Amino acid sequence: MEQDTAGLFDEPADYYPPSPPPTSQVYTLQSGQTITLHLVGHSPLEAHHLWNGSRIISKHFETHVSEVQGRTVLELGAGAGLPSIVCAILGAEKVVVTDFPDPYLVANMKKNILGCDLIPTSDGSSKDSPIVADGYVWGADPTHLLAHLEPVKRDRFDVLILADLLFRHSEHGNMISTVEATLSRKRTSVAFVCFTSYRPWLQHKDLAFFDLARERGFVVDKIMEEKMDKAMFENDPGDEDVRKTVTGYALRWPDEKCI
């Protein structure tokens, strides 16, 4: 006799804990104006955080406007996209903000663009918008990213932003490959790399990114260091001062590789 197994293997409605709901955070510009940033509820790619590196590099651009004004900008692993949005507000000619090509992540970046009324004439997608969102896997062919520059008649980006990505140690090579493929070969071109060693015992692995960048021919300079009031993850282990410190470096082409 066959037993009725209907529902036997069904999981109770509360078997899995619910996914955390989306959240939002507010960034205040030095002008006093605010940007509301929506964050995804949870992401294995850590896009549900507004990282300190993105805050500090955004503040840096506010005090060094000429580094982005009238220039083309590409951000990798952007999450909420704060630095890119700040660049667009400050008058960058074209900004392409990217993260892993998950539809939810890309849609959230577009939502943040559309929700910021400080950006002039932006819809987050069209060729006429000063800022567009797109998906991208580090190390992959960047042709679709470079295509966003066609309306402004550029072939590569003047500025790259990598904020709090270095904890992905296995991806360092792919990140640098993307910098090589997308950074314009001009003396004024620069890739800004801003990060915190959130796991102080692995700081040497974070810093190995810059050794690899030098091996690949880039000039590497430390340009900033700022200590936050508190660590981003206060209950984490490791030296608290290291976990509170945000450091910024600049990668540039050497003169002999500039065109």
Side-chain angles (χ1 to χ4, degrees), residues 185-187 255-259:
R185 289 180 179 264
K186 297 184 292 189
R187 289 180 175 82
D255 286 347
E256 61 271 19
K257 289 192 176 183
C258 293
I259 299 173

Side-chain angles (χ1 to χ4, degrees), residues 56-91:
I56 295 303
I57 194 62
S58 297
K59 186 168 73 171
H60 172 82
F61 291 144
E62 287 192 80
T63 56
H64 299 77
V65 177
S66 63
E67 292 185 345
V68 296
Q69 192 173 56
R71 310 188 79 194
T72 55
V73 180
L74 170 66
E75 183 175 3
L76 304 179
L82 173 62
S84 290
I85 290 172
V86 169
C87 288
I89 292 170
L90 294 175

Side-chain angles (χ1 to χ4, degrees), residues 90-121:
L90 294 175
E93 184 174 27
K94 191 75 171 187
V95 182
V96 180
V97 53
T98 71
D99 209 320
F100 189 80
D102 174 271
Y104 191 29
L105 292 180
V106 176
N108 191 67
M109 291 188 294
K110 290 182 179 179
K111 181 178 181 179
N112 286 333
I113 293 169
L114 292 171
C116 183
D117 57 10
L118 302 177
I119 303 173
T121 61

Side-chain angles (χ1 to χ4, degrees), residues 115-157:
C116 183
D117 57 10
L118 302 177
I119 303 173
T121 61
S122 175
D123 63 11
S125 58
S126 78
K127 65 179 183 180
D128 297 322
S129 176
I131 177 171
V132 297
D134 209 340
Y136 180 68
V137 176
W138 304 328
D141 183 351
T143 298
H144 67 293
L145 303 182
L146 299 174
H148 290 298
L149 297 177
E150 291 175 2
V152 294
K153 296 179 171 56
R154 307 287 189 91
D155 58 355
R156 289 192 180 196
F157 294 91

